[in-house]
Amino acid sequence: MIKYIMNMDKIKELCVYDVDTGKYDFKYNGDKLVKPNLGFFARVRDAVYGVTESQKGPVFFRNNKFYNLSEVNYEFEHENLDDKTGRFKLLIDNNVEIDVVYDKPKFTDFDPWNTEEDVDFFQWICQDQKSKSDKERFHQFYTRN
């Protein structure tokens, strides 16, 4: 199943992601000709990280490796290394599956309603996992046909 996922940092860029195969490509959506599916992604150097909807619940992916979060025991961790750098981890069964150090978005104060946690993909996804009820809402929201 093909998903069109918005870049959290550059909203006119889409990741065209095949949830069944893990194949992906990028597409410019400047005229908004394609309606994106639920989800967001971020690029870190030569890798793409994201989350999107599926019938079985949220799917987290890194490049062509994807994880149906409803089928694994997972945790997200985030650490601010300094003002410009963050570290994100995906743990499955308490084992580190993904560990990435990345440059945080440069522009985080473009309006009074958003915080760094709202515009940084990795901090944003961790916000939705802070409590059991947050995690349940996240799973319900990303479970779609």
Side-chain angles (χ1 to χ4, degrees), residues 4-7 10-16 25-34 41 43:
Y4 299 93
I5 309 161
M6 276 193 338
N7 184 326
K10 300 173 186 165
I11 61 172
K12 293 181 180 180
E13 181 182 40
L14 294 178
C15 180
V16 182
D25 201 358
F26 301 100
K27 175 181 182 140
Y28 180 73
N29 196 29
D31 295 328
K32 298 186 180 179
L33 299 175
V34 176
F41 79 94
R43 289 192 196 206

Side-chain angles (χ1 to χ4, degrees), residues 83-97:
D83 288 345
K84 297 180 180 180
T85 311
R87 183 177 199 169
F88 171 81
K89 291 182 184 180
L90 167 63
L91 291 87
I92 296 182
D93 293 325
N94 293 318
N95 296 311
V96 177
E97 187 75 20

Side-chain angles (χ1 to χ4, degrees), residues 33-137:
L33 299 175
V34 176
K35 183 179 183 220
N37 295 96
L38 288 177
F40 291 102
F41 79 94
R43 289 192 196 206
V44 179
R45 290 171 289 286
D46 60 346
V48 61
Y49 299 83
V51 65
T52 191
E53 63 186 317
S54 82
Q55 291 177 339
K56 296 179 181 178
V59 173
F60 185 88
F61 60 90
R62 177 180 183 246
N63 297 339
N64 62 352
K65 176 84 172 161
F66 53 95
Y67 307 87
N68 187 313
L69 297 179
S70 297
E71 297 176 353
V72 294
N73 179 25
Y74 76 95
E75 293 296 324
F76 294 134
E77 290 182 1
H78 184 270
E79 175 185 4
N80 289 312
L81 300 178
D82 57 43
D83 288 345
K84 297 180 180 180
T85 311
R87 183 177 199 169
F88 171 81
K89 291 182 184 180
L90 167 63
L91 291 87
I92 296 182
D93 293 325
N94 293 318
N95 296 311
V96 177
E97 187 75 20
I98 293 174
D99 185 349
V100 60
V101 174
Y102 69 97
D103 295 330
K104 293 195 256 181
K106 293 178 180 154
F107 303 107
T108 60
D109 58 354
F110 52 86
D111 67 39
W113 301 279
N114 286 312
T115 64
E116 185 176 88
E117 292 82 10
D118 297 326
V119 298
D120 177 337
F121 170 77
F122 297 106
Q123 291 184 60
W124 165 80
I125 200 165
C126 289
Q127 282 187 90
D128 288 335
Q129 309 294 315
K130 286 185 178 178
S131 71
K132 185 176 179 178
S133 62
D134 290 341
K135 207 170 195 177
E136 287 171 359
R137 278 193 302 276

